[in-house]
Amino acid sequence: MKSIVCGIDLGTTNSVIAFLKDGYPRAIPVEEGTAIVPSVVSFDPGDGSRWVGRRARNRRAAFPQHTVTSIKRLMGKDTMTVAGRSSFSPEELSSFILKYLAERASEHLGAPIDQVVITVPAYFDDAQRRATIQAGELAGLDVVRIVNEPTAAALVYDHVPSDSETDSPYVLVYDLGGGTFDVSVIEIKGEIKEVLASSGDTSLGGDDFDERLRRHLLEELKRQADLPDLKPDLGLNVRLLDIAERAKIALSDRPYVEIHEVALGMVDGRPLNLDLELSRTEFESLTEDLVARTMGIVKEVLKEAHLETSEIGKLILVGGATRMPAVHQALSELFEQTVAHSVDPDLCVALGAAIQGGLITGESVGQILLDVTAHSLGIKTLDTVDPETGEPDCFSTIIRRNTRIPVSRAEVFWTVADGQEKINVEVFQGESPSCSENTPIGDFLYPLESAPASSPVTVEFAYDREGLVRICVDQKGYDNRKEVTLDIRQRKVEEIGQAEAVETPVNYIAEKARRLALDERLPEGVRREIMRVVQVYEEAIRAGEDEARMDELEDELLEILDQAEEELEAVE
Amino acid sequence: MLLEEVRREQEAAAARDRLDVQPLLDLCDSVFYLQRAFRSPGLMSRQHAQVVSTVLKKMDHFASSLGLEMIVDEGVSFDSRMHEVVLNRSPEAAVLEVLEVVQPGYIREGVVLRPAKVVVGNAGES
């Protein structure tokens, strides 16, 4: 049976094993359907048997003296770690993780694995690299290559088609994992990738963001329960941390998250409940210093590499915590360019190691064709106006170009006038900040409940592989929600949940208008205008608006219908 | 395009295993916490306790009908696949028992979606 060369990202917190199949890298789901394996080893206090991965992590609090975490920090050091009744070198403990990964991957693939490429941080010295090779050998593996982690990430993006053109050979890899942060600048010279500078913070990662949010939730709980001196017990802390992590993840895709949790604890026979809405803005203000710390390190690395921000040709994100929009925003602002993020940041390094393995054995590596959005999608907003027409012209992006699909993203916008009656949601695709230079995709009217100016309205886009975008507009604080689907290829908007209303016009005039809107002899612009006006008219009837308003809308509709009929007569 | 096909399969499996059941997990969590909050003696009448317990059982049956099993049992042997320990009340003990479930866990179609977070110790500790 043919042996497989696997790539292994041997991480401080988690590890991943991947392989190249038919020219494409693939992470192997070795534990409970997931490819991400905790880098933890635990020994049974009774018989000394060994556990690795999730099961070892789950035992850590039960057997702290028998469990080892973050062994990567000790690689290359002449030290022994006591675990249970034995002591182990860092190489031995790492070998247990490598052996576990290789065995589980071998079971999954049904083929032996004896050759591997292992990644290491760019700052690893010779001793640390030798220790990593030795760990592989102790695991019974032939380590065919040691690759720098940022180099592996860059290797993946070598095989991802990109439409951004740059002559710069410099790539910046920003790696924010669960507990560590690394940043490297790489120079690409043909097939050779040289790390010019690398730095990081071994005590900064996504967990710090969770902890900030946990503390905030605790303060909020104290306020809501009117218990300023509440001391959290273990159970409360466990739940708050879990809520914080889930909220953080949700806020990567939407501007608000609602938290409704019951019975977080009991005080004097009363349950402690937590009920709040948390905005991304609040979360970002709680954690902005953490993002700023990473940016400070980025600047240091650039200085060390003797490069200006403008000389960096590509930005690559690695590590699950880079899903936070604040990270994208900070990098985009510093470098004035978008970041490459279409490959799963948790798996990117292992996938790169698998590609390196394939290249060593002479396998051809194909272009990694990812399902991504070809263009940015967004709506027209009032932030800027077209200088020639005086019309609003700002393109507010909701889903950025090259985002993996399916994807769902939401952003919040604000009304501009007191008692504003409606919003014309105009959807565009393109990369210009100006709508007039982008492509219009469709539009629809969203009637508003009466509210003061600057009332928030969320607009959510959910984009699937078939080119359909489900758009949901929601006026916060009101029971006013509208959903439409937008077919990007056909540039067609359809309402959801109002099919019956669409099929059953409210009266004869509306029926006639809808019939004319479908008449292909009429120009597209006229048909769209008829549909727009009839929708407003029908919504007004259903909402029971006053007579004067109804008369005004009916007159507007009749006028358009007259014009349309005249055009049809001209055609005939 | 193979990578995409594989990824689609994985995503479909992940969607079956996680995303589709997430609202149900949230609901099961809430009912579990509700039941646990009021289990202290004297907080509820026997009838009230029966109401909450019955709702939890019905929830459990509903979850089972979708192939979802809750990991909530106390007094069982610690199993590092099903349970993640947050506190060990008997650090010297080699054999541990689940004394308290702090957060329920879930299994679906043989896959542990989330281990239960538990306090463990000797049986006598409970």
Side-chain angles (χ1 to χ4, degrees):
Chain A
M1 195 174 284
K2 192 187 170 194
S3 175
I4 297 167
V5 180
C6 282
I8 296 179
D9 170 10
L10 184 61
T12 307
T13 313
N14 293 305
S15 296
V16 177
I17 184 166
F19 77 119
L20 205 62
K21 184 174 183 186
D22 300 328
Y24 300 98
R26 179 184 171 186
I28 305 168
V30 295
E31 278 194 331
E32 308 287 359
T34 174
I36 300 166
V37 176
S39 303
V40 184
V41 183
S42 183
F43 299 89
D44 192 290
D47 60 13
S49 56
R50 192 169 68 224
W51 307 92
V52 178
R54 282 188 167 204
R55 297 187 73 157
R57 182 201 60 192
N58 292 349
R59 296 167 58 87
R60 181 173 49 189
F63 306 106
Q65 308 300 322
H66 297 75
T67 305
V68 185
T69 59
S70 303
I71 191 62
K72 187 174 174 179
R73 296 187 201 278
L74 298 177
M75 287 298 270
K77 289 185 179 163
D78 188 15
T79 180
M80 298 297 278
T81 300
V82 177
R85 290 171 295 187
S86 307
S87 58
F88 302 92
S89 67
E91 293 87 335
E92 284 176 295
L93 289 165
S94 293
S95 78
F96 299 147
I97 298 168
L98 293 170
K99 189 176 174 65
Y100 177 76
L101 290 170
E103 284 178 353
R104 297 302 298 262
S106 179
E107 282 169 27
H108 184 85
L109 299 176
I113 293 168
D114 46 30
Q115 289 187 306
V116 291
V117 170
I118 303 176
T119 61
V120 296
Y123 59 78
F124 258 26
D125 59 23
D126 279 351
Q128 290 168 305
R129 286 163 198 264
R130 276 200 302 275
T132 305
I133 293 170
Q134 200 184 347
E137 289 168 352
L138 288 170
L141 300 167
D142 175 15
V143 183
V144 294
R145 184 77 57 92
I146 292 287
V147 181
N148 288 321
E149 287 161 7
T151 307
L155 197 50
V156 174
Y157 279 96
D158 274 358
H159 297 272
V160 175
S162 167
D163 46 8
S164 62
E165 289 176 14
T166 174
D167 296 329
S168 168
Y170 305 113
V171 175
L172 184 127
V173 181
Y174 177 103
D175 182 351
L176 188 61
T180 58
F181 171 65
D182 293 301
V183 60
S184 305
V185 174
I186 298 171
E187 183 178 8
I188 297 176
K189 302 171 187 167
E191 296 294 306
I192 298 165
K193 294 178 174 60
E194 183 187 349
V195 178
L196 298 183
S198 186
S199 186
D201 186 335
T202 54
S203 55
L204 175 60
D207 298 346
D208 297 290
F209 291 75
D210 297 342
E211 176 56 21
R212 285 285 172 87
L213 195 46
R214 183 199 67 78
R215 283 190 225 156
H216 174 74
L217 295 176
L218 176 61
E219 291 308 311
E220 187 63 28
L221 183 65
K222 286 178 181 176
R223 194 186 62 75
Q224 288 188 11
D226 197 18
L227 293 167
D229 299 322
L230 176 70
K231 296 277 184 288
D233 61 10
L234 175 84
L236 178 55
N237 272 334
V238 166
R239 280 194 67 191
L240 286 176
L241 196 56
D242 181 62
I243 297 163
E245 189 184 357
R246 283 188 283 131
K248 178 190 75 173
I249 292 168
L251 287 171
S252 289
D253 294 336
R254 55 201 65 248
Y256 297 96
V257 62
E258 289 185 355
I259 296 171
H260 307 292
E261 294 288 338
V262 298
L264 287 155
M266 295 291 283
V267 173
D268 300 331
R270 287 186 301 137
L272 292 173
N273 304 324
L274 186 61
D275 216 356
L276 82 150
E277 184 182 82
L278 182 75
S279 71
R280 186 191 292 160
T281 312
E282 281 176 275
F283 173 63
E284 289 178 350
S285 76
L286 288 170
T287 55
E288 63 186 346
D289 61 308
L290 299 176
V291 177
R293 258 167 76 186
T294 68
M295 290 301 140
I297 297 167
V298 167
K299 288 172 189 166
E300 282 171 22
V301 166
L302 284 174
K303 199 173 170 187
E304 197 182 322
H306 305 293
L307 291 172
E308 299 293 325
T309 53
S310 57
E311 292 177 89
I312 298 294
K314 188 186 273 186
L315 302 169
I316 291 176
L317 296 183
V318 176
T322 60
R323 291 187 175 93
M324 287 184 286
V327 169
H328 293 223
Q329 183 74 18
L331 284 169
S332 297
E333 281 175 10
L334 182 63
F335 289 92
E336 295 182 347
Q337 62 172 286
T338 55
V339 291
H341 61 106
S342 52
V343 175
D344 187 328
D346 289 310
L347 310 178
C348 189
V349 169
L351 297 177
I355 290 174
Q356 181 65 68
L359 292 175
I360 289 167
T361 55
E363 269 192 72
S364 62
V365 181
Q367 286 286 86
I368 302 169
L369 301 176
L370 302 165
D371 279 348
V372 294
T373 52
H375 303 282
S376 297
L377 273 174
I379 60 170
K380 182 188 276 188
T381 55
L382 253 180
D383 297 303
T384 55
V385 294
D386 186 313
E388 287 180 15
T389 64
E391 292 292 314
D393 192 38
C394 178
F395 177 61
S396 292
T397 306
I398 293 178
I399 297 178
R400 289 193 300 132
R401 180 172 60 168
N402 285 334
T403 300
R404 289 284 287 272
I405 50 178
V407 62
S408 172
R409 293 270 190 278
E411 292 296 339
V412 65
F413 302 94
W414 288 269
T415 57
V416 292
D418 285 331
Q420 188 172 331
E421 290 179 358
K422 62 191 175 191
I423 298 169
N424 187 22
V425 181
E426 295 178 76
V427 183
F428 288 80
Q429 68 177 19
E431 310 314 317
S432 168
S434 164
C435 282
S436 57
E437 291 170 14
N438 291 332
T439 310
I441 300 299
D443 65 283
F444 61 94
L445 277 180
Y446 173 63
L448 290 163
E449 298 287 336
S450 184
S454 301
S455 296
V457 174
T458 56
V459 180
E460 180 174 358
F461 281 16
Y463 192 165
D464 69 15
R465 289 197 179 85
E466 279 64 51
L468 290 176
V469 182
R470 192 182 174 100
I471 303 173
C472 176
V473 191
D474 190 10
Q475 188 177 5
K476 273 177 64 57
Y478 296 84
D479 184 17
N480 184 17
R481 186 181 167 92
K482 180 168 183 170
E483 286 190 66
V484 303
T485 54
L486 175 62
D487 187 328
I488 289 189
R489 289 164 196 161
Q490 296 186 15
R491 299 189 185 177
K492 188 177 163 191
V493 175
E494 267 183 26
E495 287 191 41
I496 298 170
Q498 294 191 7
E500 194 181 337
V502 170
E503 287 163 10
T504 315
V506 294
N507 57 24
Y508 167 74
I509 301 171
E511 184 186 358
K512 183 178 175 183
R514 286 185 173 276
R515 200 171 56 243
L516 282 170
L518 296 172
D519 195 323
E520 293 186 351
R521 292 174 298 171
L522 288 168
E524 175 70 23
V526 173
R527 291 163 56 196
R528 279 172 59 179
E529 183 60 9
I530 294 173
M531 188 53 85
R532 183 188 70 78
V533 176
V534 76
Q535 281 175 349
V536 176
Y537 174 69
E538 289 185 329
E539 278 161 10
I541 288 180
R542 290 191 192 100
E545 289 197 15
D546 64 64
E547 207 168 317
R549 170 73 178 146
M550 288 312 310
D551 286 348
E552 183 190 325
L553 288 170
E554 195 165 296
D555 287 347
E556 187 184 356
L557 184 58
L558 287 170
E559 191 180 333
I560 290 174
L561 294 184
D562 283 346
Q563 287 171 6
E565 283 181 330
E566 279 172 23
E567 287 208 33
L568 280 178
E569 279 172 20
V571 172
E572 285 164 359
Chain B
M1 291 300 287
L2 184 67
L3 181 73
E4 279 308 302
E5 286 168 20
V6 170
R7 192 169 69 78
R8 282 178 200 189
E9 282 169 24
Q10 288 176 340
E11 279 178 0
R16 279 199 303 276
D17 292 346
R18 293 190 179 83
L19 299 179
D20 291 348
V21 296
Q22 191 55 52
L24 182 57
L25 301 193
D26 290 343
L27 187 59
C28 289
D29 276 359
S30 295
V31 177
F32 168 81
Y33 292 127
L34 187 69
Q35 192 233 17
R36 201 191 53 172
F38 292 108
R39 71 182 176 183
S40 301
L43 284 179
M44 281 198 295
S45 68
R46 191 174 60 79
Q47 288 83 359
H48 282 111
Q50 196 176 12
V51 168
V52 176
S53 175
T54 304
V55 171
L56 184 65
K57 277 182 195 155
K58 283 180 183 287
M59 181 65 65
D60 202 22
H61 288 157
F62 176 55
S64 295
S65 71
L66 298 175
L68 191 72
E69 300 292 332
M70 288 181 82
I71 310 170
V72 289
D73 290 344
E74 295 174 353
V76 298
S77 296
F78 165 61
D79 176 345
S80 59
R81 182 166 174 251
M82 308 287 183
H83 306 120
E84 180 179 351
V85 177
V86 293
L87 179 68
N88 183 0
R89 291 198 195 281
S90 311
E92 303 307 317
V95 179
L96 297 169
E97 188 172 277
V98 174
L99 303 181
E100 185 190 343
V101 174
V102 178
Q103 182 187 56
Y106 297 93
I107 307 176
R108 191 175 189 210
E109 292 166 4
V111 174
V112 179
L113 301 183
R114 185 176 88 190
K117 290 197 166 107
V118 297
V119 174
V120 295
N122 272 333
E125 291 284 329
S126 58

